[in-house]
Amino acid sequence: TMAPRRWLLLLFLAAGVLQPLAQPDSRGFISIDCGLAEEASYVDDTTTLAYVSDSGFTDAGTNYNISAEYLGFSRRGHNLRSFPDGVRNCYTLRSLVSGLKYLIRASFLYGNYDGLNRPPASFDLHIGVNFWKTVNISTWGADQGNTAVVEAIVVVPDDLLQVCLVNTGGGTPFISSLDLRPLKRTFYPQATAEQGLVMLARFNAAPVNKTGTIRYPDDPHDRLWYPWFDATIWAEISTTERVYGVGDDLFEVPWKVMQTAIVTRNASENIWFGWESLDAEPRDDDPSRPGYIAILHFAELQLLNASNGELRQFYINLNDELAYPTGFTPEHLISNAIYDTKPSRHSGYNLSINATANSTLPPILNAVEMYYVIPTTNLGTDSQDAPAAMAIKAKYGVRKNWMGDPCFPRTMAWDGLNCSYAAANPPRITSINLSSSGLNSDISSSFAHLKALQYLDLSNNNLTGSIPDALSQLPSLTVIDLSGNQLNGSIPSGLLKRIQDGSLDLRHGNNPNLCTDGNSCQLAAKRKSKLAIYVAVPVLVIMVIVSVALLVFFLRRRNQQPG
């Protein structure tokens, strides 16, 4: 069902060190020009927004420039990043507000960047561990500027979000730009922690500029409002006066969008539009199937003379049934919306707006938004395990396929990781095998945060320093293989106790500077201490004798000089 918004209760660590530019700006915006040279940035002429390179957001892929014949399009499409390697490659967006709603937008302009003149058939996008959309470049022709644009509104559960491109066998994934915009928590109440909204269309009816898209700064939230008109079907009305939103505005449509509207040519005609479902046989009782949300925006743009009986009132119907229970009368220069509170599921959607029997004026429509719903209930890796794994990746610069969530989906779990998957609980990391991976530096303290870890293999690398005793506090850890490194010092007491009680198998061969026996380590330390004394005392005595001799020498020389 639909309801006017003012009557309703206000009921998703990348590897490496991120650049300073890889942060939201003062508005909370992140604007990425994918494939831009590292550390480069520029200000977009139209929006005045600063776009930055994607080098601080991902460590995979290859930069390309598109072919010269496509350079007439937006500057953000002049280059791209392609991902020929790996099944899943991700961007990590940081410093977000946990629990806030965000608009995420990605664009894709093939532009024959590879010289093959053969765009990929399709690839998938994921927001975190949840499926977002299949990008099918072949369906985006010259009438859309050869650019695919996809957009979603989601609640981000953490302070970072990953956007991943997934190779499904339809060609090499690529991306031209990636934007993130914060929204108010009250906006789009249909977007919740359990479901997100994927934009099907967002139309600005009867715009003055028939080719322009309204966005930031006219829309402070930088939504894209595309022109929508047909002079052969609809008439157009407009005003130069500002249109205002109501106090509990859940959408805040830009007033420039609300200043224009389509109307039928007479009161007996209907405004009609429709679309087909992505699913051929959707069912209302199956939430996994596509459900759709429509949001219709209205404002009266003409000052009506009620005393003369002027009235604009209309019904809103979905598939020939009332979608709103009574006739609706838009308010003069006040933005109102009628919208679905819950997704509807049908094979096809026909929305019509028709005048009531009492109406003397034709129906009106200023703007419309259409979305379909995606579930966002998949559980990613445990909230303690995931950042620990990402910190380990960052410390050692692990390449492999360590992109996205460490454990989920199971088919894309990181190479060398095993995870446990329990119903209704986040996956836990139980095993890590980084043997012969070219690891340098010391043993990361982040391993100690993996509380479900049972097996850890760091053998045959170039690890240095001592073995952290914190590993002894991992209750499930039964095997640690550290052989073939350059570790030094002694085995910590906590690990020794676990080795002695049989709960831990520590493999430490071929570490020439590692002392493996507690008593012998203490004796060796004492010997080294005594040796140091034996060496230091004679040296000190010699230095004192030499100093005294020099002092006596200089004093005698001075006394022998004539007065």
Side-chain angles (χ1 to χ4, degrees), residues 168-496:
T168 56
T172 300
F174 72 92
I175 185 170
S176 301
S177 69
L178 181 62
D179 298 332
L180 179 136
R181 310 290 186 245
L183 301 174
K184 295 180 180 178
R185 294 181 187 272
T186 55
F187 274 19
Y188 296 94
Q190 304 92 335
T192 66
E194 290 75 35
Q195 67 180 28
L197 305 179
V198 178
M199 187 183 74
L200 186 65
R202 185 185 294 116
F203 290 136
N204 172 21
V208 174
N209 182 352
K210 303 301 185 188
T211 61
T213 299
I214 290 182
R215 59 177 301 186
Y216 188 89
D218 294 319
D219 186 339
H221 311 291
D222 195 32
R223 292 163 293 186
L224 303 182
W225 298 87
Y226 296 97
W228 189 47
F229 60 94
D230 189 338
T232 65
I233 302 175
W234 302 313
E236 301 178 2
I237 61 174
S238 63
T239 182
T240 58
E241 297 185 68
R242 183 160 185 156
V243 178
Y244 293 91
V246 293
D248 59 347
D249 196 339
L250 301 180
F251 306 104
E252 292 187 4
V253 181
W255 58 270
K256 284 190 176 182
V257 170
M258 297 302 296
Q259 281 182 317
T260 62
I262 57 172
V263 295
T264 58
R265 297 190 178 278
N266 59 67
S268 64
E269 295 178 342
N270 299 346
I271 295 175
W272 177 92
F273 58 94
W275 66 93
E276 296 296 321
S277 172
L278 295 175
D279 192 312
E281 297 179 355
R283 300 195 308 268
D284 287 329
D285 60 349
D286 187 353
S288 67
R289 295 188 180 266
Y292 289 82
I293 299 286
I295 306 170
L296 310 180
H297 300 285
F298 303 99
E300 179 59 70
L301 303 182
Q302 297 174 325
L303 186 60
L304 306 185
N305 191 334
S307 61
N308 289 340
E310 286 186 321
L311 175 66
R312 192 189 309 275
Q313 188 181 69
F314 45 81
Y315 294 116
I316 301 168
N317 308 281
L318 174 61
N319 293 345
D320 298 323
E321 295 184 1
L322 283 176
Y324 183 69
T326 63
F328 181 76
T329 301
E331 299 179 66
H332 184 237
L333 301 182
I334 298 295
S335 178
N336 273 291
I338 289 179
Y339 58 90
D340 290 305
T341 58
K342 296 181 179 180
S344 56
R345 292 174 171 85
H346 305 283
S347 58
Y349 297 80
N350 296 313
L351 268 169
S352 62
I353 306 172
N354 62 284
T356 65
N358 296 327
S359 182
T360 61
L361 296 172
I364 187 175
L365 180 60
N366 304 70
V368 60
E369 299 177 75
M370 292 172 283
Y371 300 89
Y372 62 88
V373 172
I374 54 171
T376 56
T377 53
N378 286 335
L379 293 175
T381 302
D382 175 80
S383 59
Q384 189 173 13
D385 287 9
M390 292 176 184
I392 292 166
K393 175 190 174 183
K395 181 178 180 68
Y396 298 120
V398 180
R399 309 293 290 189
K400 294 191 175 183
N401 75 329
W402 282 32
M403 299 291 287
D405 187 86
C407 296
F408 195 91
R410 190 180 302 203
T411 56
M412 298 181 199
W414 291 2
D415 283 347
L417 263 66
N418 288 328
C419 304
S420 62
Y421 299 88
N425 290 315
R428 301 299 305 267
I429 297 173
T430 59
S431 171
I432 297 180
N433 186 346
L434 285 172
S435 175
S436 304
S437 297
L439 307 186
N440 293 293
S441 188
D442 56 2
I443 297 176
S444 172
S445 60
S446 296
F447 287 111
H449 297 297
L450 301 172
K451 300 301 182 183
L453 192 64
Q454 301 171 13
Y455 179 89
L456 176 61
D457 188 348
L458 302 177
S459 62
N460 301 314
N461 287 291
N462 191 35
L463 296 173
T464 58
S466 60
I467 303 173
D469 194 32
L471 294 178
S472 67
Q473 302 303 312
L474 297 179
S476 302
L477 189 60
T478 58
V479 176
I480 306 176
D481 193 342
L482 301 176
S483 57
N485 284 285
Q486 299 297 320
L487 298 170
N488 55 44
S490 59
I491 297 176
S493 59
L495 290 177
L496 282 174

Side-chain angles (χ1 to χ4, degrees), residues 133-145:
K133 185 179 178 66
T134 296
V135 179
N136 191 336
I137 302 297
S138 63
T139 63
W140 298 77
D143 55 331
Q144 292 101 356

